[in-house]
Amino acid sequence: MKKLVVLLFAVAFVVCIINVGNAATPNQVRAYISTLENKLGVATRANDHTRVLKLNQMIADQKVRLQAMETVPQAVAPAPMKAAPSTGLFGWGLNTDLAVNYVMDKSIVGLRADLLLPDPLGLGGIIGLQKEAVGYKLGLGYFTGNDTKDVAFRGIPIYLDGVIMFPMGMYLQGGINYLVNRSGSKSGSIGGQVYVGVAGDIGLGSKSFAQIGYSILRTGDSATPRSSKGFDIGIGQMITL
């Protein structure tokens, strides 16, 4: 029984020493160092060299611990703020493009403005490209020149195209058009266009493009049908509004 009591006291003493040695605050560590220094004085006067060496080592360890606890970490400089991504000229975030084209048959010159629309189905991934590789263009234009019979011809078409972007900036574009107004103040009928092109940054702040293809513009007037068709070349610039 006495041995058990002595053993319990010994365990309690060791736990106490460990708790003090692992003090959670600098003040507690300083108090522990002061206690060790008092014991060192006693051991020195008693010429207990073994205990002196042990106490010196314990004091040195606690001073290192105290220094680490008192070291104030340097403030980490905040990372520079990144500029918010641009939302365009007017802050709308709408992707558009503006193009000028020329139909070679009878010198038709046209201007076209498009709203670029993403593909919600992610069809690009299905055909082995990036998901955003497929998109759409909804556009409005104006053209003037001569029709296939060399008669003055002008009108306002609307366009709906699909676009497939390939690596290296190449793309394929094709769709339909409809004349909402034309010479004679009558609407037209369905026409179409198809292009191959290349897009890239030439230093104008966004992508520029050039394309070549074939287009057909025609009226719905059965009495005097009029149309313009031929090889079509165009250049343009993408603009975020």
Side-chain angles (χ1 to χ4, degrees):
M1 185 65 178
K2 291 182 179 180
K3 290 183 179 180
L4 179 60
V5 173
V6 172
L7 179 60
L8 290 175
F9 273 110
V11 171
F13 177 76
V14 171
V15 171
C16 182
I17 294 298
I18 292 174
N19 287 337
V20 173
N22 292 319
T25 66
N27 287 336
Q28 290 175 322
V29 175
R30 291 191 194 95
Y32 183 46
I33 291 174
S34 179
T35 300
L36 293 176
E37 288 175 341
N38 290 335
K39 292 181 178 180
L40 176 61
V42 174
T44 301
R45 289 190 294 272
N47 293 322
D48 189 345
H49 300 295
T50 302
R51 185 163 177 75
V52 167
L53 291 174
K54 182 178 180 180
L55 289 168
N56 278 327
Q57 183 60 50
M58 293 175 67
I59 292 170
D61 292 341
Q62 292 304 314
K63 286 184 177 180
V64 170
R65 179 180 175 83
L66 179 62
Q67 183 178 7
M69 294 176 70
E70 290 181 333
T71 300
V72 179
Q74 294 183 352
V76 178
M81 294 182 63
K82 294 183 179 179
S86 174
T87 55
L89 294 177
F90 305 109
W92 300 341
L94 296 177
N95 293 319
T96 67
D97 67 31
L98 185 65
V100 176
N101 66 299
Y102 174 74
V103 182
M104 298 178 185
D105 182 29
K106 296 296 180 178
S107 300
I108 289 284
V109 178
L111 180 66
R112 173 175 171 176
D114 292 286
L115 176 63
L116 309 182
L117 304 172
D119 171 32
L121 302 178
L123 297 178
I126 297 176
I127 61 176
L129 299 171
Q130 294 182 348
K131 289 184 178 181
E132 60 273 18
V134 174
Y136 303 97
K137 288 187 178 184
L138 178 61
L140 181 67
Y142 175 80
F143 69 88
T144 183
N146 294 333
D147 66 7
T148 54
K149 297 180 180 180
D150 211 18
V151 178
F153 189 37
R154 61 183 180 273
I156 299 175
I158 56 174
Y159 299 93
L160 177 61
D161 283 356
V163 184
I164 303 175
M165 295 296 300
F166 298 100
M168 306 299 293
M170 300 293 294
Y171 66 88
L172 177 64
Q173 175 179 330
I176 59 174
N177 64 67
Y178 182 81
L179 298 187
V180 295
N181 196 5
R182 55 93 178 175
S183 301
S185 299
K186 292 184 179 181
S187 60
S189 62
I190 299 295
Q193 58 280 330
V194 61
Y195 302 103
V196 292
V198 60
D201 189 352
I202 60 173
L204 298 180
S206 60
K207 286 186 177 181
S208 305
F209 59 90
Q211 59 192 23
I212 185 169
Y214 192 86
S215 68
I216 301 173
L217 297 164
R218 57 189 179 190
T219 70
D221 190 341
S222 58
T224 55
R226 305 179 63 189
S227 66
S228 174
K229 55 187 176 180
F231 287 103
D232 187 334
I233 59 173
I235 57 173
Q237 179 70 31
M238 298 181 185
I239 305 170
T240 301
L241 301 180

